Amino acid sequence: RTDTYNCNNQLVSTGTCNATCPAAPKVTNFTVTPGTTEGYNTTKVTLAVTVTSVANISKYEFYNGNTLIATSTTTSKSTSKVINNLSTSAMNFRVVVYDQYGQTGSSEVQERCDFNSSYMVGRDKYNIYKCTTGRQYNIFVKTCANTEEGCRQAAKNAADNANCAAACSHAPNTSCYTDCWNGNYNGVYNNCIQHLCD
């Protein structure tokens, strides 16, 4: 007598009674490690995964949410993949590992990204966001009405001739005029900086 047992239409054993599918693979470790940062943006991350499996491993699939971003066909029970195409928003990194019978195991790292700081390039304002995975990215906010150099010039103009209307035209608030009238020209500059993008 020869009995054949299948697992997801894959042969498990012949001539053996009560053969069943082996346990599905299990992800024991899945990490996201950020790479270098250029111009306030993390350029890449490394996804590393380790699994336990009774059966042989056939492939790994890496996702951002439900979008496939990389595949590895290694049969090793540990592998890593460098991901270069990163989003300027929070990412949900997920790995699915397949054994030789098509059984799967999975794990995910869902990051949270929060506002960290802002910076200027000329008149353009950018916000920097830092994520729980350690990566960061920037987003253009808008083109502002003034520049840091313009604020320095405004404070200088106020110091030179106490022309408070001109010095505070970019920051039309009471504290700017008060600082100018009182000769607090550092205050004029700081007010201008605070209201660059108002």
Side-chain angles (χ1 to χ4, degrees):
R1 173 182 175 178
T2 299
D3 295 327
T4 300
Y5 295 86
N6 293 301
C7 176
N8 294 332
N9 296 319
Q10 300 290 321
L11 178 65
V12 175
S13 179
T14 58
T16 304
C17 295
N18 301 320
T20 60
C21 288
K26 180 180 180 181
V27 177
T28 57
N29 192 41
F30 181 46
T31 60
V32 181
T33 304
T36 57
T37 299
E38 297 177 6
Y40 301 101
N41 288 303
T42 301
T43 58
K44 62 185 176 182
V45 297
T46 300
L47 307 182
V49 56
T50 303
V51 304
T52 57
S53 179
V54 176
N56 294 328
I57 298 300
S58 64
K59 69 175 178 177
Y60 296 82
E61 292 178 342
F62 297 93
Y63 293 83
N64 173 26
N66 293 320
T67 302
L68 181 67
I69 55 177
T71 301
S72 173
T73 55
T74 180
T75 59
S76 173
K77 292 180 181 178
S78 64
T79 191
S80 63
K81 204 75 173 176
V82 175
I83 307 299
N84 295 300
N85 188 18
L86 302 177
S87 174
T88 53
S89 61
M91 299 182 72
N92 181 18
F93 297 102
R94 186 165 59 93
V95 61
V96 180
V97 56
Y98 293 78
D99 70 12
Q100 67 191 88
Y101 302 113
Q103 300 182 110
T104 62
S106 65
S107 183
E108 68 178 31
V109 174
Q110 187 163 5
E111 65 181 3
R112 187 186 74 250
C113 303
D114 298 314
F115 170 78
N116 178 261
S117 59
S118 298
Y119 70 95
M120 300 288 295
V121 177
R123 292 170 56 194
D124 293 339
K125 181 179 180 180
Y126 295 83
N127 286 344
I128 300 172
Y129 292 82
K130 292 196 173 183
C131 306
T132 50
T133 55
R135 77 179 185 99
Q136 68 179 44
Y137 58 88
N138 67 353
I139 293 179
F140 170 77
V141 179
K142 65 179 178 178
T143 298
C144 303
N146 212 334
T147 65
E148 291 184 36
E149 179 56 36
C151 289
R152 281 190 286 272
Q153 187 61 47
K156 181 179 183 300
N157 289 343
D160 288 345
N161 56 31
N163 185 349
C164 295
C168 295
S169 62
H170 48 269
N173 61 79
T174 303
S175 58
C176 178
Y177 283 104
T178 300
D179 286 333
C180 185
W181 291 331
N182 291 334
N184 181 6
Y185 303 116
N186 284 334
V188 172
Y189 172 79
N190 290 333
N191 268 281
C192 180
I193 289 295
Q194 292 172 13
H195 295 276
L196 276 177
C197 283
D198 286 358

